Amino acid sequence: MLLELFPYLSALLIEEVERRPDRVVFRARVRAATAVCGCGESSARVHGRYIRSLRDAAAGGLGVVIELCVRRFRCENPVCSAVTFAEQIAGLTTPHSRYTPLMRGMLAQIGLALAGRAGARLAAAMGITVGRDTLLRLVRAVPDPDVGEVEVLGVDDFAFRKGRHYGTVLIDMATHRPIHLYDGREGEDLAAWLRGHPEVKVICRDRSSGYGEGARVGAPQAQQVADRYHLWANLGQAVEKTVNAHRSHLAEPLAAAEDGAGHLDAAPEVVQPSKELKIVTRLREQHAAAHELWAQGMSKAAIGRKLGLHQATVRKLVNARSADDVVAKSLQRAHIVDPYVGYLHQRWNEGIRNAAQLHREIQQLGYPGGELAVQRHLRRYRTGRGHAPAGGPKPPSVREVTSWIMTHPEHLRDGDADKLHRLRERDPELDRLTGHVRKFAVMMTARHGDRLKEWIVGVEHDTLAPLAGFARNLRRDFDAGLVPEEWTPVRVVMRRVSG
């Protein structure tokens, strides 16, 4: 039985077995009197001997070491370039390796599953001492699997360093396995890869023009389709921009807040407007300076150099219609005390000034933070800078409203669904936005590609500029064949991408 599992045992003569605290050592030599050179010539002329230490898979929690007496032979083939050669045992030794094939394969699998440090810890628990760098070297030495024929190809980018350095990953959509990586997001590299794979029939990609041109040049026979993730992600970006433009409408009217809460808390004894945050003041000044320089005809790059700002920041400032659009994110930044401001305000007016006591009270209401945050909030009342909180609950953030609009109505929580319903009643444009999004969702999930042109026309004639921009880009993709009218290829690809 052992000979069937380990054929190399028949070629060895075990001379001694030594058990040590952490390992078992087998001392052995080869039975055969001859060995075969790499040229195929057999030789019996022994040139010398040496001890070769091989590490094998652990047994019973102990490491296994085979100390093999290896002979070096002289090759008797006069035309062979190797004068001498060391004997090799099939299944046990490989040239220049200190691991048996079984051990090497096991460590490679551990490295593939857990990488360096975690793999080294697991190997130690199994009785194998190995360093993390050795595991990584074994992983790098694993040959790449054969790509084979790829009929449906997925193309997307990934970040080596977000915002700075990107690469491209190619995926076989039939197996969901990556098959190639390359640095950068250039279409020429994609075209070069596709020329070597003429069997590609469908290319599922994001909607960037670079990949589109590379796919067109490298695989003109393939059908290009937009995958569901990127379509939905681009739609979400347009929805967020639209909601951001209607930020002032997100807060509920004072009357509605009174009806929901029953009454408004009384104002504190000292009522003064709170001092504007430094970051808000700085953003307003930068917005004014950027628009002034832009009106003078300066480029965005020149504005960035003059103001000492990154080009992306300059672009954000110039594209914002008002300073409020820029500072909104900072003003809406949530604080851990925000849900309990009303209670703290009420208790302050009742004469409770002890921060430790108030901290204990709101802890019973579910407050997860520390006492220091409560002290900082109450400090504005102690120094005469206190102000009454705005009537009603804190308005939802732009991202919260965007998530409500982008979520299936049946999956919304009752409270969020009610808030969205009231918001749609207050703002007709957000009501139309929600309707457009839900029509697109139904069209995409049910594969009603015949409704796409009608949806694009309806959005383009609406006053929602960001959503209209998304629709225009869809029309461009539609005219280029990226989104076919019947969406038949898309049906196959989108199911796999979403899986």
Side-chain angles (χ1 to χ4, degrees):
M1 181 64 178
L2 287 177
L3 292 179
E4 294 179 1
L5 295 176
F6 307 103
Y8 58 81
L9 289 178
S10 62
L12 298 181
L13 177 62
I14 307 297
E15 297 180 335
E16 182 182 357
V17 179
E18 178 186 356
R19 175 168 179 173
R20 298 179 183 175
D22 59 339
R23 69 185 68 179
V24 177
V25 180
F26 294 88
R27 294 184 177 90
R29 60 182 175 87
V30 182
R31 294 177 181 270
T34 61
V36 180
C37 179
C39 66
E41 185 74 17
S42 178
S43 175
R45 295 180 58 188
V46 178
H47 178 70
R49 293 176 174 82
Y50 65 94
I51 301 298
R52 184 176 181 181
S53 181
L54 298 168
R55 297 178 60 188
D56 201 1
L62 296 175
V64 175
V65 177
I66 301 175
E67 291 185 354
L68 182 64
C69 180
V70 178
R71 295 168 294 179
R72 181 172 289 276
F73 290 83
R74 282 188 177 273
C75 183
E76 298 181 355
N77 184 359
V79 298
C80 181
S81 59
V83 180
T84 63
F85 65 92
E87 60 185 349
Q88 302 292 340
I89 297 90
L92 180 64
T93 64
T94 52
H96 313 295
S97 177
R98 296 184 179 182
Y99 299 115
T100 65
L102 175 62
M103 179 72 159
R104 187 181 183 89
M106 181 183 299
L107 292 179
Q109 292 299 320
I110 292 175
L112 287 171
L114 298 175
R117 288 185 174 87
R121 290 195 295 268
L122 175 62
M126 298 170 58
I128 304 172
T129 303
V130 65
R132 62 179 186 272
D133 294 332
T134 301
L135 288 176
L136 295 179
R137 282 196 298 271
L138 292 174
V139 169
R140 296 189 190 100
V142 174
D144 294 332
D146 184 24
V147 174
E149 293 190 353
V150 181
E151 293 188 357
V152 182
L153 178 70
V155 183
D156 201 358
D157 59 357
F158 67 95
F160 288 106
R161 186 179 180 188
K162 190 173 182 180
R164 295 178 179 270
H165 186 192
Y166 286 86
T168 299
V169 57
L170 305 182
I171 300 175
D172 184 354
M173 303 306 294
T175 61
H176 291 199
R177 298 183 67 87
I179 55 178
H180 186 66
L181 298 173
Y182 65 83
D183 193 4
R185 296 182 284 187
E186 301 299 328
E188 292 82 358
D189 296 324
L190 176 60
W193 189 91
L194 288 171
R195 292 189 188 99
H197 295 79
E199 74 278 2
V200 176
K201 298 180 181 179
V202 178
I203 299 176
C204 176
R205 63 174 181 84
D206 65 12
R207 300 168 58 233
S208 66
S209 57
Y211 290 148
E213 182 64 18
R216 185 187 65 80
V217 173
Q221 80 284 354
Q223 171 70 62
Q224 299 185 44
V225 296
D227 65 76
R228 180 165 60 180
Y229 167 78
H230 285 100
L231 283 173
W232 194 249
N234 296 150
L235 177 63
Q237 293 168 359
V239 171
E240 185 172 358
K241 291 179 181 178
T242 307
V243 175
N244 189 58
H246 293 73
R247 189 183 308 102
S248 60
H249 301 167
L250 301 185
E252 294 193 9
L254 187 60
E258 289 181 346
D259 293 341
H263 67 282
L264 289 177
D265 297 324
E269 298 176 359
V270 180
V271 180
Q272 294 181 6
S274 60
K275 187 178 180 180
E276 189 174 67
L277 298 175
K278 292 181 180 179
I279 186 175
V280 174
T281 304
R282 184 170 67 251
L283 287 174
R284 293 187 186 277
E285 293 173 351
Q286 291 175 348
H287 178 269
H291 272 265
E292 181 180 355
L293 297 175
W294 179 256
Q296 296 175 7
M298 293 182 64
S299 67
K300 294 177 182 178
I303 295 175
R305 289 192 295 270
K306 185 174 181 62
L307 299 180
L309 301 175
H310 191 274
Q311 190 171 354
T313 304
V314 175
R315 184 166 57 249
K316 179 180 68 174
L317 294 172
V318 171
N319 293 340
R321 293 177 298 180
S322 65
D324 292 337
D325 293 339
V326 180
V327 304
K329 186 175 182 179
S330 298
L331 291 176
Q332 287 191 346
R333 188 169 295 163
H335 193 274
I336 194 170
V337 184
D338 286 349
Y340 309 94
V341 166
Y343 181 83
L344 292 174
H345 184 238
Q346 177 183 350
R347 295 291 286 160
W348 179 273
N349 293 335
E350 292 174 356
I352 307 301
R353 303 290 192 265
N354 189 295
Q357 177 181 344
L358 292 174
H359 172 248
R360 289 192 296 269
E361 292 181 6
I362 62 176
Q363 268 189 324
Q364 297 177 357
L365 301 178
Y367 171 67
E371 183 181 337
L372 183 59
V374 179
Q375 292 177 355
R376 288 174 176 171
H377 177 78
L378 297 177
R379 193 176 300 161
R380 66 190 65 182
Y381 299 133
R382 301 186 192 280
T383 58
R385 294 184 295 108
H387 63 284
K394 184 181 178 70
S397 66
V398 171
R399 288 196 172 184
E400 284 179 325
V401 176
T402 302
S403 68
W404 299 343
I405 295 175
M406 299 291 292
T407 301
H408 194 288
E410 295 181 359
H411 299 160
L412 275 174
R413 292 180 296 184
D414 294 340
D416 295 340
D418 292 340
K419 293 177 183 177
L420 179 60
H421 178 71
R422 293 195 297 269
L423 181 60
R424 295 180 65 180
E425 289 180 342
R426 295 195 306 271
D427 193 322
E429 291 194 347
L430 292 183
D431 181 47
R432 297 200 306 273
L433 173 67
T434 305
H436 289 313
V437 170
R438 291 182 175 176
K439 287 181 181 178
F440 188 87
V442 172
M443 177 177 57
M444 185 174 64
T445 55
R447 285 102 181 184
H448 293 308
D450 55 318
R451 306 178 187 176
L452 180 59
K453 284 187 176 179
E454 180 183 354
W455 186 88
I456 293 176
V457 171
V459 172
E460 287 179 335
H461 285 80
D462 208 327
T463 58
L464 306 172
L467 196 63
F470 170 76
R472 285 193 297 271
N473 290 332
L474 269 184
R475 181 181 293 280
R476 179 198 63 192
D477 296 337
F478 189 93
D479 295 338
L482 179 61
V483 185
E485 184 172 356
E486 62 277 1
W487 283 23
T488 303
V490 181
R491 181 182 305 126
V492 178
V493 176
M494 287 199 307
R495 185 185 305 120
R496 291 171 177 169
V497 170
S498 62

